[in-house]
Amino acid sequence: MKVDGVHYRSLWWNESDAALEIIDQRWLPHEFVTQQLGSLQDYATAIYELRVRGAPLIGATAAYGVAFAMQQEPTDRAFEEAYKVFHATRPTAINLKWALDRARAVVIPLAEAERFPAALQFAHDLADADVETNRMIGVHGLEIIREIAAGKPAGEPVNLLTHCNAGWIATVDWGTATSPMYHAHDAGISIHTWVDETRPRNQGSLTSWELGSHGIPHTYIVDNAGGHLMQHGQVDMVIVGTDRTTRAGDVCNKIGTYLKALAAKANGVPFYVALPSSTIDWTVRDGRKEIPIEERDGREISHIFWGKNAVGEVTEVQITPDGVQVANPAFDVTPAGLVTGLITERGVCEASEEALAAMFPDLAG
Ligand SMILES: CSC[C@H]1O[C@H](OP(=O)(O)O)[C@H](O)[C@@H]1O
């Protein structure tokens, strides 16, 4: 999407330097910082430290990481080392394994001399496919927003609520939960989005930066305000992304999503999940039992990460007593029964095994 009028993807291959460049989103919204990745560790650090984040973007980064590894040493050993290093970075988003497994199928059957160009082309194709997939999620999600708009009094916006950032900066472009917002806004439908700050890493600040850059009216709120707003009829629909959705429609997403789904159910507010099929894990059914939940560094909670202080310096501040015990599960699982619908690149379906198998008969197995 556009940053100060200039179109960007969240990552791109620098042809002249033959290296991947990323937007280091830790510094957003205060500073726009890019980084060229020059080692296997650079790729792994970028994923673990959330310099790049969001399931589809993590997958795309890993695909380019495999290309980098084959550029350095096109051997089976080097591939398996890269697979192991990247797979160990973050356990929950399934796109990481999805991309690595597909890269393996492309690379390993080839002669060593063919591996780098083939791996690079695979990464390019994956990135391009992500853009089109997310655009189609927007096309299908637009119709849901259009239908809600038709039922609103003239001049009143459709009020959406989103949690975390499932925006263009969490994918290669368009985003998943934000793509329907961009499409509705661009179609002239009046929308307003309640943006959950999303403690502890405050990815809502990224969503605010994105929506503000596109001119979409929005209001930044604390995570605990969503239920109150739904109780008072101020939310027409909730739309979020996901890091891994099971074949039965259980949705794993940023911590706090489950609580939003409970509040939505209690208040009759439709709760939609926007996702590419690459984020469906067809090997699991019960999300609560089978999806590994990443436990991240407690410092993300005891400190506010990269805020701007009174003199404009971007810094980190401690907000808890020294040495406080912290628990930091990064995701939770929303059972399919709390999900109104899944917005995919092929259309909208119920969050059920039957509906997903009918939408993706070629993938369900
Ligand atoms: C389009 S996937 C976005 C998804 O990823 C985020 O997690 P993280 O910021 O830790 O990578 C969050 O769960 C979003 O919904």
Side-chain angles (χ1 to χ4, degrees):
M1 298 301 279
K2 291 193 174 179
V3 180
D4 296 332
V6 178
H7 180 264
Y8 280 91
R9 284 183 172 185
S10 304
L11 50 68
W12 58 93
W13 185 257
N14 182 316
E15 288 294 349
S16 56
D17 295 346
L20 185 69
E21 298 216 18
I22 64 169
I23 296 170
D24 180 348
Q25 49 192 280
R26 293 176 304 166
W27 299 93
L28 292 174
H30 304 307
E31 295 177 24
F32 185 82
V33 175
T34 63
Q35 179 191 355
Q36 201 167 91
L37 304 185
S39 69
L40 220 56
Q41 195 51 51
D42 276 356
Y43 281 83
T45 299
I47 294 170
Y48 178 72
E49 291 188 352
L50 277 65
R51 302 183 189 204
V52 292
R53 41 154 297 282
L57 190 59
I58 290 171
T61 304
Y64 279 105
V66 166
F68 172 83
M70 294 299 97
Q71 187 181 36
Q72 303 303 309
E73 179 194 328
T75 63
D76 289 5
R77 185 211 65 76
F79 177 89
E80 294 308 332
E81 179 193 16
Y83 189 111
K84 183 180 174 187
V85 166
F86 297 151
H87 190 252
T89 53
R90 299 189 72 191
T92 303
I94 192 60
N95 295 62
L96 181 54
K97 185 176 187 296
W98 174 86
L100 291 171
D101 289 344
R102 279 153 184 77
R104 176 186 275 141
V106 167
V107 166
I108 295 304
L110 298 177
E112 290 188 358
E114 298 167 18
R115 287 180 169 180
F116 168 55
L120 184 59
Q121 191 56 54
F122 168 76
H124 290 335
D125 294 346
L126 186 151
D128 291 345
D130 186 61
V131 175
E132 177 58 14
T133 292
N134 300 331
R135 186 185 71 80
M136 286 309 299
I137 288 171
V139 170
H140 296 305
L142 164 60
E143 295 316 313
I144 296 171
I145 296 173
R146 195 192 305 277
E147 186 176 339
I148 293 172
K152 299 276 293 187
E156 279 196 27
V158 175
N159 286 306
L160 302 100
L161 183 144
T162 195
H163 188 69
C164 200
N165 171 260
W168 73 264
I169 202 81
T171 67
V172 178
D173 207 343
W174 283 112
T176 55
T178 59
S179 189
M181 298 179 202
Y182 294 131
H183 280 77
H185 177 78
D186 293 350
I189 297 172
S190 174
I191 67 169
H192 163 268
T193 300
W194 300 105
V195 175
D196 276 359
E197 64 172 344
T198 315
R199 288 280 290 139
R201 287 297 294 267
N202 302 324
Q203 286 95 327
S205 185
L206 300 174
T207 303
S208 178
W209 174 77
E210 282 195 29
L211 299 183
S213 300
H214 204 77
I216 295 180
H218 62 281
T219 305
Y220 199 72
I221 55 174
V222 294
D223 296 327
N224 297 326
H228 165 75
L229 293 168
M230 293 185 218
Q231 270 184 331
H232 290 266
Q234 293 180 269
V235 180
D236 297 309
M237 74 181 276
V238 177
I239 183 168
V240 298
T242 175
D243 296 81
R244 187 184 314 206
T245 289
T246 75
R247 64 179 298 123
D250 288 351
V251 170
C252 183
N253 196 49
K254 184 52 57 193
I255 193 78
T257 303
Y258 173 45
L259 293 177
K260 288 297 158 349
L262 288 171
K265 192 76 172 183
N267 291 280
V269 174
F271 183 91
Y272 284 95
V273 178
L275 73 163
S277 54
S278 56
T279 305
I280 300 170
D281 182 353
W282 300 100
T283 69
V284 296
R285 275 190 179 80
D286 186 328
R288 189 175 54 82
K289 290 179 182 171
E290 298 182 79
I291 296 177
I293 301 298
E294 179 182 9
E295 184 73 30
R296 289 187 61 86
D297 187 332
R299 189 183 180 90
E300 291 186 344
I301 296 178
S302 59
H303 293 65
I304 290 287
F305 228 66
W306 312 118
K308 186 159 66 174
N309 67 18
V311 295
E313 296 163 339
V314 177
T315 185
E316 181 189 44
V317 293
Q318 181 172 328
I319 55 174
T320 59
D322 293 343
V324 68
Q325 181 170 299
V326 180
N328 187 11
F331 301 97
D332 58 28
V333 175
T334 298
L338 294 177
V339 178
T340 305
L342 300 172
I343 307 170
T344 78
E345 68 269 30
R346 293 186 188 173
V348 183
C349 70
E350 286 181 6
S352 71
E353 183 152 5
E354 297 73 22
L356 280 170
M359 183 73 79
F360 298 100
D362 50 325
L363 302 178

